[in-house]
Amino acid sequence: LEERNERIVETLNRRQPDLTVVMENVHKPHNVSAVARTCDSVGVGKIHAVVPRGSFRLGGKAASGVQKWVKARYWRDTRETVSSLQADGFTVYAADLSEQALDYREIDYCKPTAILLGSELVGVSDDARECADQRMSVPLYGMVESLNVSVAAAVVLYEAARQRQAGGFYDQRRISDEVFTKLRFEWLHPTVARYCRKHDLDYPALDENGVIIESISGNERAGYASVVR
């Protein structure tokens, strides 16, 4: 537990709450999972997906458990998604191969940034092009007309990570204490966390090594203790 706690604390201390990805109509599970795994690797803890009703959710074999560490918010409308992110201070860049698109290396990713990606077959929608703040592209020098969406995401995200590492963004915690405490508990003790949410209980405190310090009394203690054991 102590080693796991150290790994979790280190990971949470490197999370980048003002860097995210929006996937618009990206349906193939292996593509979504690959994008999510890259997001986790560069410190992105929350992603967005614009998908039709009845589409799949992040998870399954291809995800390799990344859904435990990266949360996905699902939307039905691209404009609503972009507007919400812009209201939160994000600049939204839509991946596009048009002449108006910036080279992805010209973007300042140290500012709050959302990268909007479309499907490999058709790219981003007209709505995405119109409501995004700017279009961006990864230059291509061969015969193919586009990159796989997960490859494009990895190229752009690692440029963002390079800039943020140079700017010291990974050197100190950037998520709030409240979010840190919540996620640390949920990642260390998922079963107890589910029990607490089911019974509308606050998470008990943890010591510096991630061990639960019991603080529940009365009739709740028996059920809680059975989960801890």
Side-chain angles (χ1 to χ4, degrees):
L1 181 63
E2 183 176 351
E3 292 179 357
R4 185 172 179 81
N5 177 64
E6 290 178 357
R7 175 75 178 276
I8 286 173
V9 169
E10 182 181 16
T11 298
L12 290 174
N13 284 341
R14 295 178 176 176
R15 278 302 196 233
Q16 304 294 302
D18 55 354
L19 179 64
T20 192
V21 167
V22 180
M23 288 176 284
E24 182 191 46
N25 295 320
V26 179
H27 300 292
K28 295 180 180 178
H30 65 272
N31 279 338
V32 173
S33 297
V35 172
R37 290 167 69 178
T38 301
C39 284
D40 176 62
S41 71
V42 300
V44 174
K46 182 178 181 180
I47 60 178
H48 302 264
V50 183
V51 291
R53 186 175 299 278
S55 185
F56 71 94
R57 294 292 184 265
L58 178 61
K61 184 177 180 180
S64 298
V66 72
Q67 67 272 18
K68 300 175 184 177
W69 324 118
V70 175
K71 299 304 178 185
R73 179 173 180 180
Y74 297 90
W75 303 78
R76 303 301 180 195
D77 181 77
T78 298
R79 289 186 178 274
E80 180 185 4
T81 310
V82 172
S83 294
S84 177
L85 288 167
Q86 290 169 333
D88 287 337
F90 285 82
T91 300
V92 180
Y93 294 93
D96 187 50
L97 293 175
S98 66
E99 294 182 357
Q100 294 80 18
L102 290 174
D103 186 306
Y104 78 102
R105 292 163 293 193
E106 297 178 11
I107 294 171
D108 180 1
Y109 298 99
C110 292
K111 298 177 180 179
T113 302
I115 302 161
L116 200 165
L117 303 166
S119 67
E120 183 178 352
L121 182 61
V122 298
V124 297
S125 66
D126 290 339
D127 279 348
R129 294 186 184 93
E130 292 173 5
C131 63
D133 294 289
Q134 178 66 55
R135 304 179 195 182
M136 55 155 291
S137 67
V138 177
L140 302 174
Y141 304 108
M143 293 293 291
V144 296
E145 297 182 353
S146 65
L147 293 173
N148 174 273
V149 63
S150 64
V151 174
V155 170
V156 176
L157 285 171
Y158 269 92
E159 170 60 18
R162 183 193 68 79
Q163 291 185 19
R164 287 177 171 241
Q165 184 176 34
F169 279 51
Y170 294 99
D171 296 339
Q172 59 185 358
R173 186 191 305 164
R174 304 191 63 245
I175 59 175
S176 69
D177 290 345
E178 181 181 0
V179 171
F180 171 84
T181 300
K182 176 179 181 291
L183 290 178
R184 180 184 176 225
F185 190 93
E186 291 175 350
W187 290 8
L188 280 169
H189 305 284
T191 302
V192 179
R194 285 194 297 271
Y195 178 89
C196 290
R197 291 195 297 271
K198 180 179 179 180
H199 296 278
D200 196 25
L201 301 173
D202 292 335
Y203 294 157
L206 303 178
D207 67 15
E208 61 181 9
N209 295 319
V211 177
I212 292 175
I213 304 172
E214 288 194 49
S215 59
I216 297 178
S217 59
N219 295 331
E220 299 163 346
R221 178 178 292 277
Y224 167 74
S226 69
V227 175
V228 175
R229 288 196 297 268

